[in-house]
Amino acid sequence: MSVSNLLSQYGDRYIQALLTTWKLTAFSFAAAFALGVLITILRVCPIKPLRIAGDFYVQVFRNIPGAALLILLVYALPYLKIIFSYEVCVLIATTLIPSAFCSEHLMSGMNTIAPGQIEAARALGLTFFQMIRRIVIPQALRSTVLPMTNLLVATMLTTSLASQVPMRPMDLTGLVSYINTHATGGVTAFAISAALYCATALLIGFTGSLIDRKVRILR
Amino acid sequence: MKQTSIRDLLYETPGPAARKKIRVWTGVALAAIAALIALIVRQFAETGQLAERYWSFFAKATTWRFLGQGLLTTLEAALTGAAIAFALGFTLMRGKLRRNRILRGISTALIEFTRGVPTLLFIYFFFLVVPQMGWKLSAFWKITLPCAISACGVVAEALRAGVNAVPKGQTEAALSLGMTETRLFYRVVFPQAIRFVIPSLIAELVIVLKDTTFAYVVTCADLMQNAKVLISNYDAMLSVYLVVAVIYILINYLLNKLSDVLAVRLHSPAERSAAA
């Protein structure tokens, strides 16, 4: 099929699929970021069991393959009488995995802060929360713009998991496999989806490096 | 070697009052974690998932031999995929560092393309379109090739970061000694660059290994696919998938640990931050 043929027949669906991918990406990333911050707080708090729990969480979700997690959520959890809709399962999987990486980035962002700064803050009599809010968090965020940009792209790539469950509306990957099993979309059908993914990734990357240049701390 | 991290520096040495508070909260946290675990175990018990028939077959050697065969295929696919990704990534990196504009442009475009497209899309491409084009591939290659292609852009960028981390003075020195550029690259720059990037290459191997779990799409008999067979044999979905997930997590965890250890071993901290 030619590009114009495909677009006239499936154009609306491609737009819908692109929006679905964007929506999944945005929701997952926002949730993953919030969860990542929370986990990071657990990992640096002075209470040992919580630190260990935070580390454990990160190791589990950093190392589990997306397909394995999704299959557990969709097919195995119902045996425990825990049943989520397909969309919720996908969202959980695409949130938990990036949240672990988010926490890792935040931890390494924090490690870029020179120990002297913490000592100086303490010498000036800043309270713990003042120190966290005024010194640690701003610097950790500013030095993690690029890793977070990459994480957003990675989150987008992870949302292709949605194609593994019969979810409606379909995402970009799901749509292509749908088109190719119902008609012969051939290479073109893939090329359109790939182009849309790439354009999104480039847009994210461009915006990210723009922000990074504005806020990066030169050392 | 214990590295001091910001994590340990954030707090002053606690005094008696703070120590007491920490003790109390440690107790509360332990109780909460225990409650959570109890809740999970109760859910397993109430739904009958702790029944012996769901777990007893893990005591059999045949179960593990079967899972082991799947794991072997998974590792084989991951290592082959990673090797191909390295070869492709190396080529793209060389292309991107050329002075020739066209070559540089093509390499950059291919790197961005493979980095911006999900592995699953490549897998469906090899599953649905490649056979239509009359190219008969075995299931093994249908999963290995897309995983490799999807990883090669990231590998190229990692290698490039390594090459750029080698101090410029060495290049200048080698050129002024009359080395050709090829010789300079393979004798001086690359051996150092590869040391910088070994940790990130291992991290990429983990990503390839994770991607191979999609092998069920092309019905390649990897760990995941063999797990499915076990499930239909013993009618035990939850226990098998849980065990398989734990196997994946452990392997990837060990690989990541190896990467961390090598990152510390191979370089001084200053070198590492230069490569990052």
Side-chain angles (χ1 to χ4, degrees):
Chain A
M1 249 191 264
S2 70
V3 178
S4 56
N5 256 343
L6 257 176
L7 282 183
S8 65
Q9 204 176 336
Y10 292 106
D12 292 347
R13 292 224 188 180
Y14 268 113
I15 292 170
Q16 206 182 25
L18 179 64
L19 291 178
T20 307
T21 293
W22 281 359
K23 196 185 77 185
L24 283 172
T25 308
F27 274 119
S28 305
F29 185 72
F33 193 85
L35 201 55
V37 170
L38 201 76
I39 297 295
T40 311
I41 293 173
L42 288 186
R43 291 174 79 191
V44 297
C45 82
I47 297 154
K48 198 99 189 262
L50 293 183
R51 280 186 177 202
I52 294 171
D55 285 346
F56 182 74
Y57 174 95
V58 168
Q59 289 308 334
V60 167
F61 291 108
R62 201 183 121 165
N63 290 319
I64 195 169
L69 180 57
L70 186 68
I71 285 173
L72 270 176
L73 288 169
V74 174
Y75 299 108
L77 274 195
Y79 283 89
L80 293 176
K81 302 238 159 57
I82 303 170
I83 301 167
F84 298 115
S85 69
Y86 287 130
E87 191 170 12
V88 173
C89 285
V90 171
L91 274 173
I92 292 176
T94 56
T95 297
L96 292 184
I97 293 176
S99 75
F101 286 96
C102 176
S103 176
E104 287 290 74
H105 293 326
L106 288 175
M107 289 294 273
S108 51
M110 262 191 223
N111 277 326
T112 60
I113 301 166
Q117 293 197 21
I118 305 294
E119 286 157 13
R122 200 170 286 144
L124 287 172
L126 262 65
T127 65
F128 177 71
F129 286 103
Q130 275 177 327
M131 204 163 75
I132 293 282
R133 204 164 62 91
R134 303 262 178 209
I135 295 166
V136 178
I137 292 180
Q139 296 193 68
L141 285 182
R142 285 175 66 174
S143 57
T144 46
V145 173
L146 277 188
M148 287 302 168
T149 311
N150 289 335
L151 183 67
L152 182 53
V153 174
T155 308
M156 176 191 77
L157 300 182
T158 313
T159 62
S160 66
L161 275 177
S163 64
Q164 300 304 296
V165 295
M167 194 185 92
R168 294 291 176 277
M170 283 176 281
D171 78 312
L172 280 173
T173 306
L175 179 63
V176 175
S177 75
Y178 172 86
I179 292 175
N180 267 288
T181 39
H182 286 76
T184 44
V187 182
T188 329
F190 279 90
I192 296 172
S193 266
L196 292 175
Y197 271 121
C198 270
T200 310
L202 286 177
L203 193 71
I204 294 171
F206 180 75
T207 317
S209 53
L210 214 68
I211 297 173
D212 181 60
R213 228 170 297 147
K214 277 251 162 65
V215 302
R216 181 190 289 168
I217 307 162
L218 296 170
R219 285 182 226 269
Chain B
M1 185 179 79
K2 179 107 180 84
Q3 272 191 310
T4 48
S5 71
I6 204 86
R7 196 169 165 166
D8 308 306
L9 283 166
L10 282 176
Y11 313 98
E12 294 171 81
T13 317
R19 266 208 299 274
K20 200 171 157 199
K21 229 160 121 187
I22 289 176
R23 260 205 303 277
V24 171
W25 282 105
T26 303
V28 172
L30 278 176
I33 292 169
L36 189 69
I37 294 171
L39 208 69
I40 295 170
V41 173
R42 202 189 68 169
Q43 195 70 21
F44 269 77
E46 274 186 358
T47 50
Q49 288 298 321
L50 289 180
E52 208 197 322
R53 71 179 194 88
Y54 290 125
W55 300 92
S56 58
F57 57 87
F58 283 115
K60 287 193 210 164
T62 45
T63 305
W64 290 104
R65 202 172 310 134
F66 190 60
L67 284 178
Q69 273 166 12
L71 181 61
L72 222 58
T73 311
T74 291
L75 292 177
E76 210 180 313
L79 286 172
T80 315
I84 298 171
F86 182 81
L88 292 175
F90 183 81
T91 315
L92 287 177
M93 178 269 289
R94 288 291 276 163
K96 193 165 174 172
L97 291 175
R98 282 282 152 81
R99 258 181 247 112
N100 184 326
R101 259 215 209 136
I102 300 165
L103 228 76
R104 211 169 55 205
I106 293 173
S107 305
T108 309
L110 284 176
I111 289 171
E112 294 304 325
F113 176 73
T114 56
R115 289 207 308 167
V117 175
T119 314
L120 260 174
L121 202 65
F122 287 120
I123 294 173
Y124 277 117
F125 185 81
F126 273 81
F127 179 51
L128 298 168
V129 178
V130 168
Q132 284 173 19
M133 303 195 302
W135 201 19
K136 295 270 177 290
L137 287 172
S138 70
F140 179 78
W141 291 108
K142 275 189 201 158
I143 184 68
T144 307
L145 287 178
C147 288
I149 291 172
S150 157
C152 72
V154 183
V155 171
E157 287 295 274
L159 289 174
R160 198 171 64 97
V163 167
N164 286 339
V166 177
K168 280 277 167 300
Q170 299 196 18
T171 308
E172 287 158 10
L175 285 177
S176 69
L177 286 173
M179 265 195 186
T180 62
E181 284 198 28
T182 319
R183 207 174 141 80
L184 155 72
F185 182 79
Y186 287 103
R187 283 293 174 84
V188 180
V189 178
F190 193 64
Q192 299 181 69
I194 193 79
R195 277 169 49 119
F196 283 125
V197 296
I198 282 175
S200 41
L201 291 181
I202 295 178
E204 199 50 31
L205 174 64
V206 170
I207 294 175
V208 174
L209 197 138
K210 282 189 193 168
D211 283 343
T212 61
T213 41
F214 291 118
Y216 64 83
V217 173
V218 297
T219 57
C220 172
D222 76 327
L223 180 56
M224 207 61 159
Q225 186 72 18
N226 279 10
K228 276 190 178 173
V229 178
L230 268 190
I231 287 168
S232 54
N233 281 356
Y234 293 102
D235 187 31
M237 173 93 76
L238 185 68
S239 55
V240 173
Y241 274 145
L242 267 183
V243 168
V244 167
V246 169
I247 295 175
Y248 274 117
I249 291 171
L250 280 180
I251 293 173
N252 291 337
Y253 174 76
L254 290 176
L255 283 173
N256 278 325
K257 263 271 153 332
L258 176 70
S259 156
D260 289 348
V261 170
L262 287 177
V264 176
R265 275 267 179 85
L266 291 172
H267 306 287
S268 66
E271 276 180 320
R272 251 177 294 138
S273 62

